Amino acid sequence: MKNDKRTLLGDVAREAGVSTASVSRVLNRAPHVSERLRAKVKAAVDRLGYVPDGPARALASRRIGAIGALVPTLDNPIFSAMIDSLERRLKHHDCRLLIATYHYNLDDELEALRTLVQQGIDGAVLIGHDHRPAALTLLKQYALPYLSCWHSENDPDWPSIGFDNAAPAKRLAEHLIALGHRRIAVVTAPTTGNDRARARLRGFRDAMDAAGVELPGERIVTVDYGIEEGAYALQLLMRLDPSPTAILCGNDTLAFGVMLAAQKAGIRMPEELSVTGFDDLPQARFMHPPLTTVAAPAKDIGHRVADALAARIQQQPTIHCQVIEAPLVLRESTAPPPST
């Protein structure tokens, strides 16, 4: 017959031959715990298969040895790369990672944050600068160390590690303009609740305004994130008369969809159509032709966020706003426009 009796903290203490207070100190990573005591408790935990009660520990100490990360989506490999880097680095700080996604819905992000806080996380990582005001209130109410990333806004309320999304987008547009393109279109993800998409669109506009190149509304297509959505955007743009000679995409995945649809339609790239992306996903260099894009420093962000958040948890000084370079990666998907 199966034994459903749950192993308790007192069972671990008896097995290790120490007090329950000593077991709690080890499990809660209290300072000044000897290696001998730590080893005895760990051995007892392993022998008994003891699993701490997460909610109970959260109520007692508000510490579960974990960081909560709120991510718009894991469908985008660039976020997956950042999360992988973050998780690997957190292990060096003896922390684990809890992940929640909210699909660019800021109300869902707030609810997910509440759930993570109730679990007793030790710190929180949020993507971007757009959040409901209640999210900041919640973090401060619980005195929870937190960081935002993937942007470069220097906001006194939001310590951050990221990159300027507008500046490299502007350089991409300037690159196309320098090649001679004047009929330029944009494929962007929705900008509501997404400061990164807004900043990239602003960068495209700034370059074109400075050069006197028009960007009429019909040449801006907003679609959800995905390859299929990028392909649909190309179909809409190619119906314009005259059609664009270059397309700036707000991320690589949309650019992949544009390029695949262009190939299917028999449009030669870059001879007839130049395409750019943003992220530098691993697939970008293997597209035909290889994709001109911006290299988002995903792994570097994950590594730095882990170190900075661990320091904040330990109440050590950190840099409030860290800005990392996101360089252009010029490949064969861009060239001068076809002569008329």
Side-chain angles (χ1 to χ4, degrees), residues 65-200:
I67 298 300
L70 294 116
V71 189
T73 176
L74 290 176
D75 288 341
N76 188 338
I78 202 68
F79 289 137
S80 300
M82 188 273 284
I83 288 295
D84 180 69
S85 172
L86 173 63
E87 184 173 34
R88 289 172 181 270
R89 187 61 182 172
L90 281 175
K91 290 179 180 178
H92 290 273
H93 298 288
D94 199 21
C95 279
R96 296 298 177 263
L97 188 64
L98 301 180
I99 304 170
T101 59
Y102 54 93
H103 305 288
Y104 295 96
N105 184 315
L106 297 186
D107 291 328
D108 288 349
E109 180 196 46
L110 178 58
E111 288 306 310
L113 177 60
R114 286 187 176 126
T115 300
L116 289 173
V117 171
Q118 288 167 3
Q119 291 295 313
I121 54 172
D122 304 322
V125 181
L126 295 86
I127 302 290
H129 190 247
D130 281 0
H131 309 286
R132 292 288 182 247
L136 183 61
T137 301
L138 181 66
L139 292 166
K140 290 186 173 182
Q141 177 185 348
Y142 281 82
L144 193 68
Y146 63 92
L147 283 170
S148 61
C149 62
W150 223 259
H151 70 93
S152 62
E153 296 289 337
N154 194 350
D155 185 331
D157 284 327
W158 287 97
S160 63
I161 298 175
F163 58 95
D164 186 341
N165 285 269
K170 182 179 179 183
R171 291 196 295 270
L172 275 176
E174 289 170 343
H175 167 65
L176 292 178
I177 293 168
L179 288 172
H181 291 277
R182 295 299 180 268
R183 299 202 310 269
I184 300 173
V186 172
V187 178
T188 176
T191 57
T192 302
N194 187 339
D195 52 279
R196 289 83 62 208
R198 284 201 309 277
R200 294 173 192 183

Side-chain angles (χ1 to χ4, degrees), residues 271-330:
E271 294 86 356
E272 296 176 296
L273 179 67
S274 290
V275 180
T276 70
F278 199 116
D279 285 336
D280 197 24
L281 297 178
Q283 303 94 318
R285 70 187 66 184
F286 299 109
M287 295 297 290
H288 182 70
L291 179 64
T292 289
T293 186
V294 171
K299 293 182 179 179
D300 196 8
I301 289 174
H303 190 109
R304 293 194 192 202
V305 164
D307 288 348
L309 198 52
R312 292 177 69 81
I313 290 170
Q314 296 165 12
Q315 298 183 342
Q316 297 174 356
T318 60
I319 300 173
H320 183 77
C321 180
Q322 295 186 45
V323 180
I324 309 170
E325 181 64 23
L328 261 60
V329 182
L330 300 181

Side-chain angles (χ1 to χ4, degrees), residues 206-218:
D206 287 349
M208 297 174 72
D209 287 345
V213 176
E214 293 185 358
L215 182 61
E218 63 268 20

